[in-house]
Amino acid sequence: MTGIAAIFAPGPARQEQLDRMMAAMADRAHDGTGTWIQGRFALGAAMLHTTAESFEAPQPFTNEDASLALVLDGYLTNWEELRTDLASRGATLRNRSDAELVLRAYEQWGEDCANRIEGEFAFVIADQRQGRIYAARDHQGLRPLHFYQDKDALLIGSDLAAIIAAAQNRPAPNFDYLANVAAGDWYLRDATVWHGVERVPQAHWLTCDGSDTRVRQYYDLPVDVTIRYAREEEYVEHYRAMLFDAVRRTSRSHQPLAVTVSGGLDSSAIYGIAHQLEQQGRLPAPGFEGYTLAGEEGTDAYELPFARAVADHCGRSLTEVPLFRPGIDWFIERGRQDCDLMIPPNGAMQIDLEGAAVTRGSRAMLHGDGGDQWLDGSILYYQELALNLDLPGFAAALQRDAGADGWRATLPRALRAGLVGFVPEPLRRAVRSRRMQRRYADPAFVHWLKPEWRRRLQTMEEAYRAQVPGSTMERSKRGRLFSPYRQLALDIMQRQRAQSGLETREPMQTRQFIEFACQTPEWIRNQAGVTRVVHRKAMADVLPANILERRSKADFTAPHLNAAFAGFVRERTDGPNSQFCTAAGLRKLTELDSEMHVDSELGWEVWGCCAVAAFLQTR
């Protein structure tokens, strides 16, 4: 999780401007900092080494004549294939680092290099030969990267705080984006809380030559089902081999790995697979340790029996860490320092766990994030089967579902889901538009927004929906990858872990995992109301029975924080949020039961209004 910064100036780049960016990322510099300035270019890196190879490429990292210079945040998952490919093309590889591979890939393929690189990454290359700067982010946006046109200079940085610190023209708040947050509805994928400061979009590269800035998509989701087998067992075998390989590729580190274990199906599987890889001598790290959150017994956050069952099944120990539960002042101050929205409580609760992993020597932490996104599946398998005229498959799905829910419930649901795919797209679009209009016409919908901002929110939603493909299945798949809220959540959590001194690794968000989910039939994931079916079957020898059969999820309610967030908003109904919220609407919104949790019906809206008010008050 190296923090990176870049300046592309109209004249000579200034050291003091780069120094301000680096000072704003000082809490990322666990292994020191490096800077490089040549002519109009300035690069900086606040280093965190997570692999042995990364020590071989001090950053900023240059080619032989320094005509190219690179700063890289992240790691590659296809380092083996990329190394072989580059060597076969005659590239001289001076060391084993990922930075060398990225730099040589740019020399070989120029702007097209990003599509040859897989992993979790954001990088910037200063190209003195072409007189341009080039930046790219991975397919999912798992590493943050922002840019801002500050007068005639282009600023690029991992953190918003770095860009704000260096900007000669401090940007104004982005009220369109803040209204999204306050409403709990996100339609601006690449916007931030600052007007004009944007994310480099996931799966895109950016290039600027001083007169023209271009942003292009280099990767798109393969949405057509192209992986088909005659037997379900073949899908299970393919999935198992793929997930084992994804865990191996994300486990490369010179220090013992940290693996989070919630006791749920996803993180427990990552833990169990890491154990088997270690037993087989295939884990590219000197061992690993498991960590779990120790919720209070008797609450819905108490998952220790599940997590312990996984550790016992593997014959391993587990470090149990209490939830981090600071007061509201901590959240507000952290947001002020980050020049961003404050961290949600269900993210901050992991800070002591992350600290425990760092104390015991870990630099990389494996998570099970992505399972909800790609493994749950949906009843859309009926539509998929109907469109493919797979009558035996449709009948088999009916039998399974009727066995669980009865024919009276199953048949109408299956017919609705199956037939909707045959409805002409213009009609489907008209129905969706009509539903949206009815929603906004309902006085209870986002009632705390002023009428003009409700209309503005509707305009933003219409623009967002117009970009979404027509097919229901395609919309579902693309919505999971290109989610506006998910970009905010990823940025916040990656920044938190970088500040802790950890690099996040996400096996279930690798390209190979996502592409398997999109290129296989929906029914292998969801059957008779049971989610993650292919995962449960593939992990039969990895997980104990009580995990394989689990359908519940933890609830990390923090009543004192819920009440504090609501109180903060209620005390400021005529304050910062009055730009787009009514005082009466905010009072009604915050009349919440003290047990309401952040994932409940209005919990996110209350957090959002509090986060917006705190940002505007402290910016």
Side-chain angles (χ1 to χ4, degrees), residues 355-428:
V358 171
T359 298
R360 299 186 66 173
S362 292
R363 289 299 185 91
M365 175 175 277
L366 267 63
H367 285 263
D369 296 348
D372 291 344
Q373 197 177 353
W374 299 109
L375 286 177
D376 271 0
S378 72
I379 200 171
L380 289 176
Y381 52 79
Y382 280 115
Q383 180 184 136
E384 195 173 69
L385 292 164
L387 288 173
N388 287 309
L389 302 179
D390 185 353
L391 297 182
F394 199 97
L398 277 174
Q399 270 313 128
R400 280 194 302 265
D401 290 2
D405 299 330
W407 284 101
R408 176 171 290 185
T410 298
L411 198 54
R413 188 172 61 213
L415 289 174
R416 268 197 314 272
L419 293 175
V420 71
F422 295 99
V423 176
E425 173 54 24
L427 181 56
R428 286 205 303 268

Side-chain angles (χ1 to χ4, degrees), residues 42-93:
L43 300 180
M47 292 297 301
L48 174 67
H49 291 294
T50 62
T51 68
E53 296 85 357
S54 66
F55 287 93
E56 300 175 18
Q59 294 194 44
F61 184 66
T62 68
N63 64 351
E64 289 84 350
D65 62 2
S67 60
L68 299 177
L70 163 79
V71 283
L72 166 69
D73 174 19
Y75 71 101
L76 307 189
T77 55
N78 70 331
W79 77 93
E80 296 153 315
E81 294 86 351
L82 186 57
R83 175 172 292 277
T84 299
D85 191 358
L86 287 167
S88 71
R89 296 170 186 273
T92 300
L93 298 173

